[in-house]
Amino acid sequence: MKIVWIIGGPGCGKGTQCKRIIEKYGFYHISSGDLLREEVARGSPQGTFLQETMSKGLFVSTDIVLDLIKERMQKVKQEKMTNTGFLIDGYPRELGQGLLFEKNVCPVDLIIFFDASSEILEKRLLGRAEVLKRADDNQETIKNRIKLFNMNRHAEIIEHYKDKVVKIDANGNEDEIFDEVVKVINTLLNES
C-alpha cells in the first residue's frame, strides 16, 4: 500500500483534492483535522482540551495527532477498507513529525505539496466559513492559522524529502489542480 502525505496551507484545497483522488484511485483519506474534530465531538476530557487549542488556531501536540492517525490506519488495514493506500492530509506540519511518522508507523512514498498564496488561502477559508460554520473558521483564527503555517517548517519537510515531494500550484481552479494531481498519482501507481 502506498502512503501519500498531502501538505499545504489551510484552505489550499487538500480536502477537495483528496476527495477526487479517493474517487479515482481508492485511497483511504485520513485528515488530521477531521480526526481531531471527531475526538472533540466525543466530548472526552482530551476532546475538550483539543477544542480549546484548535479554537485559538494553535497546533495540537504531535503525539496526540500521530496516535490518532496510527490508530485509524490500523483499523482500516484490519477491516481491509483500501487496497491502494492512504492519503494523510494535513500531517506532518514539520519535519520532526514526518520523521516520527516514518519511525513509528511506516515510510512515506510521495508528498504532494499544494502551494497557494496567503491571499487565496484567506479568501477560500472565509468562503468555507460562511458555508460550514466551523468553530475554527472565523477571521481572526483564519489569519492566525495562515500566519502559523507561513512561519512553520514545511520548507524543512520539502528539503528533507526532496526526492519524494511534488509541488503543485494550488492557486488555480479545482480541475486544473486535479489534472496535475492525476499526473503525479499515475506516476506513483505506474499507470498511464
Side-chain angles (χ1 to χ4, degrees):
M1 280 201 244
K2 300 294 185 184
I3 305 297
V4 180
W5 291 343
I6 305 293
I7 62 174
C12 71
K14 295 184 298 285
T16 300
Q17 293 301 321
C18 283
K19 286 177 189 169
R20 295 185 73 171
I21 294 168
I22 293 160
E23 276 180 26
K24 184 166 177 65
Y25 299 101
F27 280 89
Y28 187 90
H29 179 224
I30 298 178
S31 162
S32 58
D34 288 349
L35 290 176
L36 291 168
R37 283 185 283 279
E38 286 174 21
E39 191 66 24
V40 168
R42 286 191 187 105
S44 67
Q46 177 172 278
T48 302
F49 168 76
L50 294 174
Q51 176 60 43
E52 290 171 10
T53 303
M54 292 186 308
S55 66
K56 295 175 186 170
L58 301 174
F59 293 138
V60 173
S61 131
T62 297
D63 293 338
I64 292 171
V65 177
L66 187 57
D67 286 346
L68 292 171
I69 291 171
K70 188 175 181 178
E71 287 171 18
R72 182 61 55 90
M73 287 178 73
Q74 289 170 339
K75 179 181 178 188
V76 169
K77 284 179 184 176
Q78 287 171 352
E79 297 178 11
K80 296 182 175 36
M81 298 167 72
T82 179
N83 292 322
T84 310
F86 294 92
L87 297 178
I88 312 294
D89 171 1
Y91 188 93
R93 293 188 186 276
E94 57 188 31
L95 179 58
Q97 292 176 334
L99 297 174
L100 277 175
F101 181 98
E102 290 200 300
K103 178 182 176 189
N104 297 324
V105 182
C106 63
V108 64
D109 296 293
L110 172 69
I111 303 165
I112 298 176
F113 172 47
F114 290 110
D115 190 20
S117 70
S118 294
E119 296 77 24
I120 293 288
L121 297 178
E122 186 173 345
K123 179 181 175 186
R124 289 179 183 165
L125 288 172
L126 287 171
R128 182 175 80 185
E130 289 188 21
V131 174
L132 297 180
K133 308 289 186 213
R134 281 185 7 192
D136 59 340
D137 273 350
N138 60 64
Q139 188 157 20
E140 182 180 332
T141 302
I142 286 169
K143 286 183 184 261
N144 194 36
R145 289 171 62 204
I146 293 169
K147 180 181 170 189
L148 282 172
F149 174 78
N150 287 332
M151 289 174 24
N152 214 341
R153 300 186 200 111
H154 61 278
E156 290 179 1
I157 295 169
I158 293 166
E159 176 58 28
H160 181 79
Y161 292 103
K162 60 184 166 235
D163 295 336
K164 296 182 179 185
V165 173
V166 175
K167 190 177 192 179
I168 292 179
D169 182 348
N171 290 303
N173 71 49
E174 183 181 324
D175 292 332
E176 293 168 340
I177 296 166
F178 191 64
D179 287 344
E180 295 304 310
V181 170
V182 166
K183 292 175 190 172
V184 171
I185 299 291
N186 284 349
T187 300
L188 175 69
L189 300 177
N190 295 318
E191 295 179 8
S192 55

